[in-house]
Amino acid sequence: MIPGPFAYHRPRSLAEAVALCAAHPDDGRPLAGGHSLVPMMKLRLATPDHLIDLGAVAELKGVRREGNGWVIGATTTQAALITDPNLAQAIPILRETAQQIADPQVRSCGTIGGNVANGDPGNDMPALMMCLDATFRLAGANGTREVKARDFYQGAYVTALEPGELLTAITIPHPPAGHGYAYEKLKRKIGDYATAAAAVMLTLAGGRITTCAISLTNVAPTPLLAADAAAATIGQKPEEATFAEAAHRAEAITEPTPDGRGPADYRTKMAGVMVRRALARAVARASA
Amino acid sequence: MAKTAIALTVNGEAVEALVEPRTLLVHFLREQLNLTGTHIGCDTTHCGACTVDFDGRSVKSCTLFAVQAEGAEIRTIEGMAGADGTLHPLQEGFREMHGLQCGFCTPGMIMRAYRLLQENPRPTEDEIRTGMAGNLCRCTGYQNIVRAIQFAAAKIAGDSLQEAAE
């Protein structure tokens, strides 16, 4: 399958890339890893007239500490997230999640920016970004702005990105030392999207859960922040009854589509199971 | 459609070419450079038959445009054997351990295994299976592919081949 024709642009700087995207709000697409976009172009489901390749823009790559958080360039690959020693230490759930995306070849190309900006409900990073309370930096013709991951997703493939805007970086607050974390993903095989998945970040003190965030992947048109489920754990002992109540509340907010991964009620139940497992594993990893 | 000039290195040789931007890397390798060892399997980023080594990482060449390879160093299956025809230890391993039946997936398997062994010279069986997860084989059941990679790892490390075969 050969994609339709397009004009190819290879900007060398971020300013040039942003200007090109802004100049082609409706007929252009940025190309990062391309592992969502190129298959869509082969199927002619995406037919951009202008393709803006971000591969030569060094400013978009890499991970650095900034203030009280981390800045991850949009074209940082999933493979780079897995091998970055500082991130593995500070935010280990990023590695755990990236390792469950696709396969080694795809992870060597696929980028975190593409994964979060595409708005595909099957992608794993969007829910994780909600769980971590990440912020997306968006650059456009009128300058840059910041949008919280928790406010970014509006529907399947519909996000707060305006036509011509480019997601340039993701900022993540530095998680507290001793936090517990887990990303639990049920999938049929390597490379598959989640039947259901859950991300959990929490802290413990005095034998109780003191902070908790929970989010869900691929059980609704958008990733979901399970705020009620997380609230149910605060001040509670980290035990099965607490996990079950959180799972119950998480199930209540799902709206999965029946597909080859199973009927809707099954995927809802699996979301609950993933929440229970993720909570239990996060608790086991947290310092009390 | 206007063509774009690209310059890259393929199997150690400098290559300059004009390509239509929509030309996929695998089509460029096969049809413009006549390097037909890289196979097109599923054409949907799943099967890994088109895997090549690209700037020190394994990629599926059906899902990259040739223009993205500007400045890149690419190695394909044609670049694995020595100039005198001596097989690379991975090629030898696939032959010795019967790591192929129809052989269609083999170039992608070998190119992925090549990078895997660069990253992890002595992988466990589990690490091989995880590392090869992006390559599908419909014949072998994978058992002998794992053995072939173990054979190559041992040979590269200088272990006795008798040991590797066991």
Side-chain angles (χ1 to χ4, degrees), chain B residues 42-56:
Chain B
C42 69
D43 201 11
T44 56
T45 335
H46 287 96
C47 78
C50 65
T51 299
V52 299
D53 205 63
F54 183 120
D55 283 343

Side-chain angles (χ1 to χ4, degrees), chain A residues 187-188 192-195 218 257-264 266-267:
Chain A
K187 57 185 176 182
R188 296 171 300 179
D192 195 16
Y193 288 129
T195 302
N218 213 18
T257 316
D259 65 9
R261 296 172 188 86
Y266 168 71
R267 297 181 68 185

Side-chain angles (χ1 to χ4, degrees), chain B residues 26-97:
Chain B
V26 71
H27 290 140
F28 172 71
L29 292 170
R30 288 176 56 84
E31 290 162 25
Q32 273 184 257
L33 302 185
N34 291 322
L35 296 172
T36 54
T38 302
H39 290 168
I40 301 172
C42 69
D43 201 11
T44 56
T45 335
H46 287 96
C47 78
C50 65
T51 299
V52 299
D53 205 63
F54 183 120
D55 283 343
R57 60 204 169 109
S58 308
V59 303
K60 295 183 177 179
S61 60
C62 77
T63 308
L64 289 163
F65 293 112
V67 285
Q68 291 177 271
E70 165 64 25
E73 274 197 37
I74 290 176
R75 194 168 189 188
T76 70
I77 188 69
E78 288 88 349
M80 293 299 281
D84 62 353
T86 311
L87 294 183
H88 185 277
L90 275 162
Q91 294 172 306
E92 198 184 331
F94 272 73
R95 186 172 70 180
E96 292 300 319
M97 307 311 288

Side-chain angles (χ1 to χ4, degrees), chain A residues 88-153:
Chain A
Q89 187 71 33
I91 321 178
I93 196 171
L94 268 172
R95 170 186 278 186
E96 179 159 292
T97 304
Q99 281 174 326
Q100 296 182 65
I101 296 173
D103 61 52
Q105 288 95 315
V106 174
R107 291 194 293 267
S108 80
C109 291
T111 67
I112 187 168
N115 195 286
V116 301
N118 201 27
D120 182 342
N123 285 353
D124 294 287
M125 286 294 173
L128 179 59
M129 294 301 114
M130 292 177 104
C131 187
L132 292 169
D133 199 14
T135 300
F136 301 152
R137 286 188 187 161
L138 314 179
N142 303 318
T144 62
R145 63 188 181 115
E146 301 206 324
V147 177
K148 290 258 189 197
R150 293 175 182 183
D151 301 325
F152 186 73
Y153 297 98

Side-chain angles (χ1 to χ4, degrees), chain A residues 124-215:
Chain A
D124 294 287
M125 286 294 173
L128 179 59
M129 294 301 114
M130 292 177 104
C131 187
L132 292 169
D133 199 14
T135 300
F136 301 152
R137 286 188 187 161
L138 314 179
N142 303 318
T144 62
R145 63 188 181 115
E146 301 206 324
V147 177
K148 290 258 189 197
R150 293 175 182 183
D151 301 325
F152 186 73
Y153 297 98
Q154 300 168 347
Y157 300 98
V158 183
T159 68
L161 260 183
E162 295 290 341
E165 265 188 324
L166 181 67
L167 188 150
T168 60
I170 296 161
T171 59
I172 301 175
H174 187 73
H179 74 272
Y181 66 93
Y183 189 71
E184 284 284 346
K185 177 177 178 178
L186 177 67
K187 57 185 176 182
R188 296 171 300 179
K189 59 178 278 293
I190 282 199
D192 195 16
Y193 288 129
T195 302
V200 166
M201 293 281 289
L202 55 72
T203 54
L204 298 178
R208 306 266 172 176
I209 295 173
T210 46
T211 65
C212 180
I214 303 173
S215 62

